[in-house]
Amino acid sequence: MDLDIDFVRAQFPAFSEPSLKGQAFFENAGGSYTCAPVIRRLTRFYTQRKVQPYAPYEASRLGGEEMDEARARMAAILGVETDELSFGPSTTANTYVLAQAFRQWLKPGEAIVVTNQDHEANSGPWRRLAEEGIEVREWQVDPLTGHLDPQDLAVLLDEDVRLVCFPHCSNVVGEINPVVEITAMAHAAGAFVCVDGVSYAPHGLPDVGNLGPDIYLFSAYKTYGPHQGVMVIRRPLGELLPNQGHYFNGGTLYKRFTPAGPDHAQVAACAGIADYYDLLCDHHGGPASDPVERAAFVNGLFHAHETALLQPLLDAVKDRNAVRLLGPTRAERRAPTVALALNRPAAPVAAALARHGIMAGGGDFYAVRALSAQGIDPEQGVLRLSFTHYTSAAEVGRLIEALDQVL
Ligand SMILES: Cc1ncc(COP(=O)(O)O)c(C=O)c1O
């Protein structure tokens, strides 16, 4: 069955919002539109439950229960235990806390591996461990293709490596990295694995349990939810790393790496992402089985729709003069996050697209290392065109026409 795009778009108030009419949204990798179930929960929390949660009065009980529901349902979709999932202010804030924990746990002379394909969020915080005498090894992309080759990782791994950090998918290259294979290599060498799933998760919430990493991070504001960072830390690592929360909370796994008080309303509203997945699964006749299988069904619908829309866009830009398409030219190998290096600064071109009713961005997208590694001046940046399952074929057609005008 194909994705019912009209049903999908009816779940997003942005598509019937008069002030957004006539504009097609292609900066989804920066942050997606928010689905109605999330907005409803946020509104309900702020109007009915905005009190300190977990106290013995009704509004508080409901608020606390909704926060617990969000964690339990998101964890079930991701195939992990409820207390292996925690919410923090953002993925960047989450990696900073995790890096602080590793800073205390690692010993001078031990090593970590980072890439130059990552967004800075999964790079800079780890690289700063060098200040403590930790050896930082860089797994480098192919400068021509932006590809990360697992064979290049193999030569960096030895008994000193304690952690390997890499993206499920880069926010400028778009290629999907083989997480299972890379994780197996790192584990075989005795290292833990931290995966930045921020650019991947909007295209299908993954079965993290089966993928295998010890840490998996993504940002709910890009997966149709509120502005939260979602962090999975598998139990063996979470119990091994030193507690970063209040000392008396150290016995509760999901509190160990979230030192600040949580944003109650936004945590609760994350349950709306699970509502949205359920709506899609039921509407399309998906299985009435466990949440991982139901999510896999929904992810399949997303993937088929996105791939069909992506290939014409890739074909329209890949051989254009003075345009360099980053990442694979085949849609199946990548996310619909398409970065183009031009022979001029990208931001004015994005502004020109806006005049054609296309919302897109130009810049470095905090992937400064990934652009530099491919010989692209981060000051000029790239034009980034990113869409998701709720984008229509007509919108992609409109984008292609607008590109003809401005490139
Ligand atoms: C691939 C990737 N990783 C990490 C981040 C940082 O996420 P956050 O804004 O939640 O800190 C971003 C943000 O754009 C991103 O695209």
Side-chain angles (χ1 to χ4, degrees), residues 67-131:
M67 291 170 68
D68 292 346
E69 177 194 351
R71 218 155 31 76
R73 288 179 67 199
M74 289 303 287
I77 286 176
L78 299 168
V80 299
E81 297 294 324
T82 300
D83 64 350
E84 292 177 319
L85 185 142
S86 42
F87 296 100
S90 68
T91 294
T92 309
N94 286 341
T95 49
Y96 264 88
V97 175
L98 286 167
Q100 179 61 18
F102 271 94
R103 185 184 287 267
Q104 292 165 5
W105 178 66
L106 292 171
K107 294 190 272 305
E110 294 183 326
I112 64 167
V113 174
V114 294
T115 79
N116 61 357
Q117 195 192 53
D118 271 282
H119 182 283
E120 197 58 17
N122 194 36
S123 200
W126 302 118
R127 289 173 191 262
R128 288 184 188 168
L129 297 178
E131 294 158 10

Short mmCIF file of all heavy atoms in Angstrom, two decimals, residues 67-131:
data_model
loop_
_atom_site.label_atom_id
_atom_site.label_comp_id
_atom_site.label_asym_id
_atom_site.label_seq_id
_atom_site.Cartn_x
_atom_site.Cartn_y
_atom_site.Cartn_z
N MET A 67 4.33 12.06 31.09
CA MET A 67 5.78 12.04 30.86
C MET A 67 6.30 10.60 30.81
O MET A 67 7.12 10.24 29.96
CB MET A 67 6.50 12.83 31.96
CG MET A 67 6.23 14.33 31.91
SD MET A 67 6.85 15.19 33.36
CE MET A 67 8.62 15.02 33.15
N ASP A 68 5.81 9.78 31.74
CA ASP A 68 6.22 8.37 31.75
C ASP A 68 5.75 7.65 30.49
O ASP A 68 6.47 6.82 29.92
CB ASP A 68 5.65 7.65 32.99
CG ASP A 68 6.26 8.14 34.29
OD1 ASP A 68 7.30 8.83 34.22
OD2 ASP A 68 5.70 7.85 35.36
N GLU A 69 4.53 8.00 30.08
CA GLU A 69 3.98 7.38 28.87
C GLU A 69 4.87 7.69 27.66
O GLU A 69 5.17 6.81 26.85
CB GLU A 69 2.55 7.91 28.62
CG GLU A 69 1.94 7.38 27.33
CD GLU A 69 0.68 8.16 26.90
OE1 GLU A 69 0.18 9.00 27.67
OE2 GLU A 69 0.24 7.91 25.76
N ALA A 70 5.32 8.94 27.58
CA ALA A 70 6.16 9.34 26.44
C ALA A 70 7.44 8.50 26.40
O ALA A 70 7.85 8.00 25.35
CB ALA A 70 6.50 10.83 26.53
N ARG A 71 8.05 8.34 27.55
CA ARG A 71 9.31 7.59 27.58
C ARG A 71 9.07 6.12 27.24
O ARG A 71 9.78 5.51 26.45
CB ARG A 71 9.97 7.73 28.96
CG ARG A 71 11.47 7.83 28.90
CD ARG A 71 12.06 8.54 30.10
NE ARG A 71 11.30 8.34 31.30
CZ ARG A 71 11.29 7.22 32.03
NH1 ARG A 71 12.05 6.22 31.65
NH2 ARG A 71 10.56 7.13 33.11
N ALA A 72 8.00 5.56 27.82
CA ALA A 72 7.72 4.14 27.61
C ALA A 72 7.38 3.87 26.14
O ALA A 72 7.87 2.91 25.54
CB ALA A 72 6.56 3.70 28.51
N ARG A 73 6.55 4.72 25.56
CA ARG A 73 6.11 4.44 24.18
C ARG A 73 7.22 4.71 23.17
O ARG A 73 7.38 3.97 22.19
CB ARG A 73 4.85 5.25 23.85
CG ARG A 73 3.65 4.69 24.61
CD ARG A 73 2.40 5.48 24.35
NE ARG A 73 1.93 5.37 22.98
CZ ARG A 73 1.08 6.24 22.42
NH1 ARG A 73 0.62 7.27 23.12
NH2 ARG A 73 0.70 6.08 21.17
N MET A 74 8.02 5.74 23.39
CA MET A 74 9.14 5.98 22.47
C MET A 74 10.18 4.86 22.60
O MET A 74 10.73 4.40 21.60
CB MET A 74 9.78 7.34 22.75
CG MET A 74 8.93 8.53 22.34
SD MET A 74 8.45 8.52 20.60
CE MET A 74 10.01 8.92 19.82
N ALA A 75 10.43 4.43 23.82
CA ALA A 75 11.41 3.34 24.02
C ALA A 75 10.91 2.07 23.33
O ALA A 75 11.70 1.34 22.70
CB ALA A 75 11.63 3.10 25.51
N ALA A 76 9.61 1.79 23.43
CA ALA A 76 9.06 0.57 22.81
C ALA A 76 9.23 0.62 21.29
O ALA A 76 9.59 -0.38 20.66
CB ALA A 76 7.59 0.42 23.19
N ILE A 77 8.99 1.79 20.70
CA ILE A 77 9.17 1.93 19.24
C ILE A 77 10.63 1.70 18.86
O ILE A 77 10.94 1.09 17.83
CB ILE A 77 8.71 3.34 18.79
CG1 ILE A 77 7.18 3.42 18.81
CG2 ILE A 77 9.26 3.69 17.42
CD1 ILE A 77 6.62 4.80 18.47
N LEU A 78 11.53 2.17 19.71
CA LEU A 78 12.98 2.08 19.40
C LEU A 78 13.57 0.73 19.79
O LEU A 78 14.76 0.49 19.59
CB LEU A 78 13.73 3.22 20.12
CG LEU A 78 13.31 4.64 19.71
CD1 LEU A 78 13.90 5.67 20.68
CD2 LEU A 78 13.74 4.96 18.29
N GLY A 79 12.75 -0.12 20.39
CA GLY A 79 13.22 -1.48 20.73
C GLY A 79 14.20 -1.52 21.89
O GLY A 79 15.11 -2.36 21.92
N VAL A 80 14.01 -0.62 22.86
CA VAL A 80 14.90 -0.61 24.05
C VAL A 80 14.04 -0.56 25.30
O VAL A 80 12.82 -0.34 25.25
CB VAL A 80 15.88 0.61 24.02
CG1 VAL A 80 16.77 0.52 22.78
CG2 VAL A 80 15.14 1.95 24.06
N GLU A 81 14.68 -0.76 26.46
CA GLU A 81 13.96 -0.70 27.74
C GLU A 81 13.59 0.75 28.05
O GLU A 81 14.33 1.67 27.68
CB GLU A 81 14.85 -1.24 28.87
CG GLU A 81 15.25 -2.70 28.72
CD GLU A 81 14.06 -3.64 28.85
OE1 GLU A 81 13.16 -3.34 29.66
OE2 GLU A 81 14.03 -4.64 28.10
N THR A 82 12.49 0.91 28.78
CA THR A 82 11.99 2.26 29.08
C THR A 82 13.05 3.12 29.78
O THR A 82 13.21 4.30 29.47
CB THR A 82 10.72 2.17 29.94
OG1 THR A 82 9.74 1.43 29.21
CG2 THR A 82 10.17 3.54 30.27
N ASP A 83 13.79 2.54 30.71
CA ASP A 83 14.76 3.37 31.44
C ASP A 83 16.07 3.56 30.68
O ASP A 83 16.99 4.22 31.18
CB ASP A 83 15.00 2.85 32.87
CG ASP A 83 15.64 1.48 32.90
OD1 ASP A 83 15.74 0.84 31.83
OD2 ASP A 83 16.03 1.04 34.00
N GLU A 84 16.16 2.99 29.47
CA GLU A 84 17.33 3.26 28.62
C GLU A 84 17.11 4.50 27.75
O GLU A 84 18.00 4.89 27.00
CB GLU A 84 17.63 2.05 27.73
CG GLU A 84 18.12 0.84 28.54
CD GLU A 84 18.35 -0.40 27.69
OE1 GLU A 84 17.52 -0.69 26.79
OE2 GLU A 84 19.34 -1.11 27.93
N LEU A 85 15.95 5.11 27.86
CA LEU A 85 15.67 6.32 27.06
C LEU A 85 15.53 7.52 27.99
O LEU A 85 14.85 7.44 29.02
CB LEU A 85 14.38 6.12 26.27
CG LEU A 85 14.04 7.27 25.29
CD1 LEU A 85 13.44 6.72 24.01
CD2 LEU A 85 13.09 8.27 25.92
N SER A 86 16.19 8.61 27.62
CA SER A 86 15.98 9.84 28.37
C SER A 86 15.86 11.02 27.41
O SER A 86 16.29 10.96 26.25
CB SER A 86 17.07 10.08 29.40
OG SER A 86 18.33 9.79 28.89
N PHE A 87 15.26 12.09 27.92
CA PHE A 87 15.07 13.31 27.14
C PHE A 87 15.98 14.39 27.70
O PHE A 87 16.09 14.55 28.91
CB PHE A 87 13.63 13.79 27.24
CG PHE A 87 12.61 12.85 26.65
CD1 PHE A 87 11.88 12.00 27.47
CD2 PHE A 87 12.40 12.81 25.28
CE1 PHE A 87 10.95 11.13 26.93
CE2 PHE A 87 11.46 11.93 24.74
CZ PHE A 87 10.74 11.10 25.57
N GLY A 88 16.61 15.13 26.80
CA GLY A 88 17.41 16.29 27.22
C GLY A 88 17.04 17.47 26.33
O GLY A 88 16.25 17.32 25.40
N PRO A 89 17.63 18.64 26.60
CA PRO A 89 17.22 19.83 25.86
C PRO A 89 17.49 19.75 24.35
O PRO A 89 16.76 20.34 23.57
CB PRO A 89 18.02 20.97 26.49
CG PRO A 89 18.91 20.36 27.50
CD PRO A 89 18.62 18.91 27.65
N SER A 90 18.53 19.06 23.95
CA SER A 90 18.85 18.94 22.52
C SER A 90 19.90 17.85 22.38
O SER A 90 20.51 17.43 23.37
CB SER A 90 19.43 20.26 21.99
OG SER A 90 20.70 20.50 22.57
N THR A 91 20.15 17.43 21.16
CA THR A 91 21.19 16.42 20.95
C THR A 91 22.56 16.98 21.32
O THR A 91 23.40 16.28 21.91
CB THR A 91 21.14 15.93 19.50
OG1 THR A 91 19.90 15.24 19.33
CG2 THR A 91 22.30 14.99 19.18
N THR A 92 22.79 18.24 20.99
CA THR A 92 24.09 18.83 21.32
C THR A 92 24.30 18.85 22.84
O THR A 92 25.38 18.48 23.33
CB THR A 92 24.18 20.26 20.76
OG1 THR A 92 23.83 20.24 19.37
CG2 THR A 92 25.58 20.83 20.92
N ALA A 93 23.28 19.26 23.58
CA ALA A 93 23.40 19.26 25.04
C ALA A 93 23.62 17.84 25.55
O ALA A 93 24.41 17.61 26.48
CB ALA A 93 22.16 19.88 25.67
N ASN A 94 22.95 16.88 24.94
CA ASN A 94 23.10 15.49 25.38
C ASN A 94 24.52 14.98 25.15
O ASN A 94 25.10 14.29 26.00
CB ASN A 94 22.08 14.60 24.66
CG ASN A 94 20.67 14.78 25.21
OD1 ASN A 94 20.48 15.29 26.32
ND2 ASN A 94 19.68 14.37 24.45
N THR A 95 25.11 15.29 23.99
CA THR A 95 26.48 14.81 23.76
C THR A 95 27.48 15.50 24.70
O THR A 95 28.45 14.88 25.13
CB THR A 95 26.96 15.00 22.30
OG1 THR A 95 26.70 16.31 21.88
CG2 THR A 95 26.33 14.01 21.36
N TYR A 96 27.20 16.76 25.06
CA TYR A 96 28.10 17.43 26.00
C TYR A 96 28.10 16.71 27.35
O TYR A 96 29.15 16.50 27.97
CB TYR A 96 27.72 18.91 26.18
CG TYR A 96 28.55 19.79 25.28
CD1 TYR A 96 28.14 20.06 23.98
CD2 TYR A 96 29.77 20.31 25.71
CE1 TYR A 96 28.92 20.83 23.14
CE2 TYR A 96 30.56 21.08 24.87
CZ TYR A 96 30.12 21.34 23.59
OH TYR A 96 30.90 22.09 22.75
N VAL A 97 26.92 16.32 27.80
CA VAL A 97 26.84 15.62 29.09
C VAL A 97 27.54 14.25 28.98
O VAL A 97 28.31 13.86 29.86
CB VAL A 97 25.38 15.46 29.53
CG1 VAL A 97 25.29 14.62 30.80
CG2 VAL A 97 24.74 16.82 29.75
N LEU A 98 27.26 13.56 27.89
CA LEU A 98 27.89 12.24 27.71
C LEU A 98 29.41 12.36 27.64
O LEU A 98 30.15 11.55 28.21
CB LEU A 98 27.37 11.58 26.42
CG LEU A 98 25.94 11.05 26.51
CD1 LEU A 98 25.41 10.71 25.12
CD2 LEU A 98 25.89 9.82 27.41
N ALA A 99 29.88 13.38 26.93
CA ALA A 99 31.34 13.56 26.82
C ALA A 99 31.95 13.85 28.19
O ALA A 99 33.08 13.42 28.48
CB ALA A 99 31.65 14.68 25.83
N GLN A 100 31.20 14.56 29.02
CA GLN A 100 31.68 14.83 30.37
C GLN A 100 31.81 13.52 31.16
O GLN A 100 32.79 13.31 31.89
CB GLN A 100 30.71 15.80 31.06
CG GLN A 100 31.05 16.17 32.49
CD GLN A 100 32.40 16.88 32.59
OE1 GLN A 100 32.94 17.39 31.61
NE2 GLN A 100 32.97 16.87 33.78
N ALA A 101 30.85 12.62 30.97
CA ALA A 101 30.91 11.32 31.65
C ALA A 101 32.12 10.52 31.16
O ALA A 101 32.86 9.92 31.95
CB ALA A 101 29.61 10.55 31.42
N PHE A 102 32.34 10.52 29.84
CA PHE A 102 33.51 9.80 29.30
C PHE A 102 34.81 10.45 29.77
O PHE A 102 35.81 9.78 30.00
CB PHE A 102 33.44 9.76 27.76
CG PHE A 102 32.69 8.57 27.24
CD1 PHE A 102 31.33 8.66 26.92
CD2 PHE A 102 33.31 7.34 27.07
CE1 PHE A 102 30.63 7.57 26.45
CE2 PHE A 102 32.61 6.23 26.59
CZ PHE A 102 31.26 6.35 26.28
N ARG A 103 34.78 11.78 29.92
CA ARG A 103 35.97 12.50 30.40
C ARG A 103 36.42 11.95 31.76
O ARG A 103 37.61 11.80 32.03
CB ARG A 103 35.63 13.99 30.52
CG ARG A 103 36.76 14.92 30.87
CD ARG A 103 36.22 16.34 31.05
NE ARG A 103 35.86 16.96 29.80
CZ ARG A 103 36.66 17.74 29.08
NH1 ARG A 103 37.88 18.01 29.50
NH2 ARG A 103 36.26 18.26 27.94
N GLN A 104 35.45 11.64 32.59
CA GLN A 104 35.78 11.11 33.92
C GLN A 104 36.18 9.63 33.87
O GLN A 104 36.92 9.15 34.70
CB GLN A 104 34.58 11.27 34.87
CG GLN A 104 34.28 12.72 35.21
CD GLN A 104 32.90 12.90 35.84
OE1 GLN A 104 32.20 11.93 36.11
NE2 GLN A 104 32.52 14.14 36.07
N TRP A 105 35.61 8.92 32.90
CA TRP A 105 35.80 7.46 32.87
C TRP A 105 37.08 7.05 32.12
O TRP A 105 37.77 6.10 32.52
CB TRP A 105 34.57 6.80 32.22
CG TRP A 105 34.67 5.33 32.09
CD1 TRP A 105 34.71 4.42 33.12
CD2 TRP A 105 34.79 4.57 30.89
NE1 TRP A 105 34.82 3.14 32.61
CE2 TRP A 105 34.87 3.21 31.25
CE3 TRP A 105 34.83 4.91 29.53
CZ2 TRP A 105 34.99 2.18 30.31
CZ3 TRP A 105 34.94 3.88 28.60
CH2 TRP A 105 35.02 2.55 28.98
N LEU A 106 37.42 7.78 31.04
CA LEU A 106 38.58 7.38 30.23
C LEU A 106 39.88 7.72 30.94
O LEU A 106 39.94 8.65 31.77
CB LEU A 106 38.54 8.11 28.88
CG LEU A 106 37.42 7.69 27.92
CD1 LEU A 106 37.36 8.64 26.73
CD2 LEU A 106 37.64 6.26 27.44
N LYS A 107 40.93 6.99 30.57
CA LYS A 107 42.25 7.25 31.16
C LYS A 107 43.18 7.78 30.07
O LYS A 107 43.05 7.40 28.90
CB LYS A 107 42.82 5.96 31.75
CG LYS A 107 42.00 5.46 32.94
CD LYS A 107 42.70 4.33 33.67
CE LYS A 107 42.41 2.95 33.12
NZ LYS A 107 41.00 2.58 33.01
N PRO A 108 44.12 8.66 30.45
CA PRO A 108 45.07 9.17 29.46
C PRO A 108 45.73 8.00 28.71
O PRO A 108 46.05 6.97 29.30
CB PRO A 108 46.10 9.92 30.31
CG PRO A 108 45.35 10.30 31.55
CD PRO A 108 44.36 9.20 31.79
N GLY A 109 45.87 8.19 27.40
CA GLY A 109 46.47 7.13 26.58
C GLY A 109 45.41 6.28 25.90
O GLY A 109 45.69 5.62 24.90
N GLU A 110 44.18 6.30 26.45
CA GLU A 110 43.11 5.58 25.76
C GLU A 110 42.64 6.44 24.57
O GLU A 110 42.94 7.64 24.50
CB GLU A 110 41.96 5.26 26.72
CG GLU A 110 42.42 4.27 27.80
CD GLU A 110 41.33 3.84 28.77
OE1 GLU A 110 40.45 4.66 29.09
OE2 GLU A 110 41.39 2.68 29.22
N ALA A 111 41.91 5.81 23.66
CA ALA A 111 41.60 6.51 22.41
C ALA A 111 40.11 6.47 22.09
O ALA A 111 39.39 5.56 22.54
CB ALA A 111 42.39 5.88 21.26
N ILE A 112 39.68 7.45 21.32
CA ILE A 112 38.32 7.44 20.76
C ILE A 112 38.44 7.72 19.26
O ILE A 112 39.45 8.27 18.80
CB ILE A 112 37.39 8.49 21.41
CG1 ILE A 112 37.88 9.92 21.12
CG2 ILE A 112 37.26 8.27 22.91
CD1 ILE A 112 36.86 10.99 21.45
N VAL A 113 37.39 7.33 18.51
CA VAL A 113 37.35 7.62 17.08
C VAL A 113 36.17 8.55 16.80
O VAL A 113 35.06 8.30 17.28
CB VAL A 113 37.18 6.32 16.26
CG1 VAL A 113 36.98 6.63 14.77
CG2 VAL A 113 38.39 5.40 16.44
N VAL A 114 36.44 9.62 16.08
CA VAL A 114 35.38 10.53 15.61
C VAL A 114 35.50 10.63 14.09
O VAL A 114 36.54 10.25 13.53
CB VAL A 114 35.50 11.93 16.24
CG1 VAL A 114 35.26 11.89 17.74
CG2 VAL A 114 36.85 12.57 15.92
N THR A 115 34.49 11.15 13.43
CA THR A 115 34.57 11.29 11.98
C THR A 115 34.66 12.76 11.57
O THR A 115 34.40 13.65 12.40
CB THR A 115 33.32 10.70 11.27
OG1 THR A 115 32.25 11.65 11.37
CG2 THR A 115 32.90 9.39 11.88
N ASN A 116 34.96 12.99 10.31
CA ASN A 116 34.80 14.36 9.80
C ASN A 116 33.59 14.42 8.86
O ASN A 116 33.52 15.29 8.00
CB ASN A 116 36.08 14.88 9.13
CG ASN A 116 36.50 14.05 7.93
OD1 ASN A 116 35.87 13.05 7.60
ND2 ASN A 116 37.57 14.46 7.26
N GLN A 117 32.65 13.47 9.08
CA GLN A 117 31.38 13.53 8.33
C GLN A 117 30.27 14.09 9.22
O GLN A 117 29.25 14.56 8.74
CB GLN A 117 31.00 12.13 7.83
CG GLN A 117 29.93 12.14 6.76
CD GLN A 117 29.35 10.77 6.48
OE1 GLN A 117 28.92 10.07 7.40
NE2 GLN A 117 29.35 10.37 5.22
N ASP A 118 30.49 14.05 10.55
CA ASP A 118 29.45 14.41 11.51
C ASP A 118 29.12 15.89 11.54
O ASP A 118 29.96 16.75 11.27
CB ASP A 118 29.92 14.03 12.93
CG ASP A 118 29.56 12.61 13.31
OD1 ASP A 118 28.40 12.38 13.65
OD2 ASP A 118 30.45 11.73 13.24
N HIS A 119 27.89 16.19 11.96
CA HIS A 119 27.50 17.50 12.49
C HIS A 119 28.39 17.75 13.71
O HIS A 119 28.79 16.79 14.40
CB HIS A 119 26.03 17.42 12.89
CG HIS A 119 25.42 18.68 13.41
ND1 HIS A 119 25.64 19.13 14.68
CD2 HIS A 119 24.55 19.56 12.84
CE1 HIS A 119 24.95 20.24 14.88
NE2 HIS A 119 24.28 20.53 13.78
N GLU A 120 28.66 19.02 14.02
CA GLU A 120 29.58 19.31 15.12
C GLU A 120 29.10 18.74 16.47
O GLU A 120 29.91 18.46 17.36
CB GLU A 120 29.80 20.82 15.22
CG GLU A 120 31.02 21.25 16.02
CD GLU A 120 32.36 20.71 15.51
OE1 GLU A 120 32.44 20.25 14.35
OE2 GLU A 120 33.33 20.72 16.28
N ALA A 121 27.80 18.53 16.59
CA ALA A 121 27.24 18.02 17.85
C ALA A 121 27.84 16.69 18.26
O ALA A 121 27.99 16.40 19.45
CB ALA A 121 25.72 17.88 17.74
N ASN A 122 28.17 15.84 17.26
CA ASN A 122 28.72 14.52 17.58
C ASN A 122 30.21 14.48 17.28
O ASN A 122 30.76 13.42 16.98
CB ASN A 122 27.98 13.44 16.78
CG ASN A 122 28.25 12.03 17.30
OD1 ASN A 122 28.39 11.81 18.50
ND2 ASN A 122 28.35 11.07 16.40
N SER A 123 30.85 15.64 17.36
CA SER A 123 32.26 15.71 17.00
C SER A 123 33.03 16.54 18.03
O SER A 123 33.86 16.02 18.78
CB SER A 123 32.38 16.31 15.59
OG SER A 123 33.61 16.02 15.01
N GLY A 124 32.70 17.83 18.09
CA GLY A 124 33.43 18.75 18.97
C GLY A 124 33.46 18.32 20.43
O GLY A 124 34.54 18.32 21.06
N PRO A 125 32.31 17.96 21.02
CA PRO A 125 32.34 17.56 22.44
C PRO A 125 33.30 16.40 22.69
O PRO A 125 33.98 16.35 23.72
CB PRO A 125 30.90 17.16 22.74
CG PRO A 125 30.08 17.90 21.73
CD PRO A 125 30.94 17.97 20.49
N TRP A 126 33.36 15.46 21.76
CA TRP A 126 34.25 14.31 21.91
C TRP A 126 35.71 14.71 21.69
O TRP A 126 36.61 14.27 22.41
CB TRP A 126 33.88 13.20 20.92
CG TRP A 126 32.47 12.71 21.05
CD1 TRP A 126 31.49 12.77 20.11
CD2 TRP A 126 31.86 12.09 22.20
NE1 TRP A 126 30.32 12.23 20.59
CE2 TRP A 126 30.52 11.80 21.86
CE3 TRP A 126 32.33 11.74 23.48
CZ2 TRP A 126 29.64 11.19 22.75
CZ3 TRP A 126 31.45 11.13 24.36
CH2 TRP A 126 30.13 10.86 24.00
N ARG A 127 35.94 15.55 20.69
CA ARG A 127 37.32 15.95 20.38
C ARG A 127 37.97 16.67 21.57
O ARG A 127 39.18 16.63 21.76
CB ARG A 127 37.35 16.86 19.14
CG ARG A 127 37.05 16.10 17.84
CD ARG A 127 36.93 17.07 16.67
NE ARG A 127 36.40 16.41 15.49
CZ ARG A 127 37.13 15.94 14.48
NH1 ARG A 127 38.45 16.09 14.48
NH2 ARG A 127 36.57 15.36 13.45
N ARG A 128 37.15 17.36 22.36
CA ARG A 128 37.70 18.09 23.51
C ARG A 128 38.28 17.17 24.56
O ARG A 128 38.99 17.63 25.46
CB ARG A 128 36.62 18.98 24.12
CG ARG A 128 36.32 20.15 23.22
CD ARG A 128 35.35 21.11 23.81
NE ARG A 128 35.01 22.09 22.78
CZ ARG A 128 34.02 22.94 22.84
NH1 ARG A 128 33.26 22.97 23.91
NH2 ARG A 128 33.78 23.77 21.86
N LEU A 129 38.01 15.87 24.46
CA LEU A 129 38.61 14.93 25.42
C LEU A 129 40.13 14.88 25.25
O LEU A 129 40.85 14.42 26.14
CB LEU A 129 38.02 13.53 25.25
CG LEU A 129 36.51 13.43 25.55
CD1 LEU A 129 36.00 12.02 25.30
CD2 LEU A 129 36.23 13.84 26.98
N ALA A 130 40.62 15.38 24.11
CA ALA A 130 42.08 15.44 23.91
C ALA A 130 42.73 16.27 25.01
O ALA A 130 43.89 16.03 25.37
CB ALA A 130 42.39 16.03 22.53
N GLU A 131 41.97 17.24 25.57
CA GLU A 131 42.51 18.08 26.66
C GLU A 131 42.88 17.25 27.88
O GLU A 131 43.67 17.68 28.72
CB GLU A 131 41.46 19.14 27.07
CG GLU A 131 41.16 20.14 25.97
CD GLU A 131 39.80 20.83 26.15
OE1 GLU A 131 39.16 20.68 27.22
OE2 GLU A 131 39.38 21.52 25.19
#
